Amino acid sequence: VRMTEKGRRMAGDPEYGWRTVTASLTSHEWTAAVVEAFTLLMLEGETDEDVLADEAHPLLVAFGWRTDDDPPDIWDVKRAWWSVRRPLDTLGGFTESASMLPRTATLTPFGEATLLEHLRLNMTGPMRY
């Protein structure tokens, strides 16, 4: 397997690698909106992901988001979040409570910086969708 030019640059420049991964966390406007809502709620201190979904869902509906021409349901919100949460978790962006219920996830400093950078890129960068 050959490394691409971008891969070589990412391997040689950790900051560039982090920014590249951060920029690619979401590929759709819907997922980016869900991540934005979750990020802002988590920065307020909420860590129970079911509660986060319950709080984010009505906000996203109120802002007019649609999936398949219908308002999104709670499972649409959770699926979008988990599509970003899984890779971020792999990179060390979260710590989870023990197996006690409800399970809570807390952003690590790396996770917080990554999600804030993702928001910054979405707000200030060119349209990617």
Side-chain angles (χ1 to χ4, degrees):
V1 176
R2 290 186 183 186
M3 190 178 292
T4 65
E5 181 60 36
K6 189 177 211 176
R8 275 191 292 283
R9 183 169 176 204
M10 288 173 68
D13 182 350
E15 182 177 343
Y16 175 77
W18 173 70
R19 291 187 189 283
T20 301
V21 169
T22 300
S24 67
L25 281 175
T26 60
S27 58
H28 300 357
E29 288 179 348
W30 163 246
T31 306
V34 171
V35 170
E36 179 179 342
F38 270 67
T39 301
L40 295 173
L41 290 168
M42 288 192 320
L43 291 174
E44 289 181 355
E46 185 60 61
T47 59
D48 181 295
E49 291 179 288
D50 287 332
V51 172
L52 287 170
D54 290 340
E55 290 183 14
H57 177 249
L59 295 172
L60 294 160
V61 170
F63 278 102
W65 284 99
R66 298 287 181 262
T67 55
D68 298 327
D69 295 327
D70 294 317
D73 64 26
I74 194 75
W75 293 106
D76 294 321
V77 173
K78 288 180 177 186
R79 273 190 297 276
W81 170 243
W82 275 87
S83 72
V84 172
R85 196 227 196 262
R86 273 189 234 104
L88 193 57
D89 189 28
T90 301
L91 296 170
F94 287 93
T95 58
E96 281 191 286
S97 65
S99 60
M100 299 172 63
L101 295 177
R103 291 181 71 160
T104 57
T106 305
L107 288 171
T108 63
F110 172 80
E112 184 175 321
T114 299
L115 290 179
L116 287 173
E117 176 64 7
H118 186 266
L119 289 180
R120 188 193 70 75
L121 288 170
N122 282 336
M123 299 298 171
T124 63
M127 293 296 291
R128 298 181 295 144
Y129 308 106

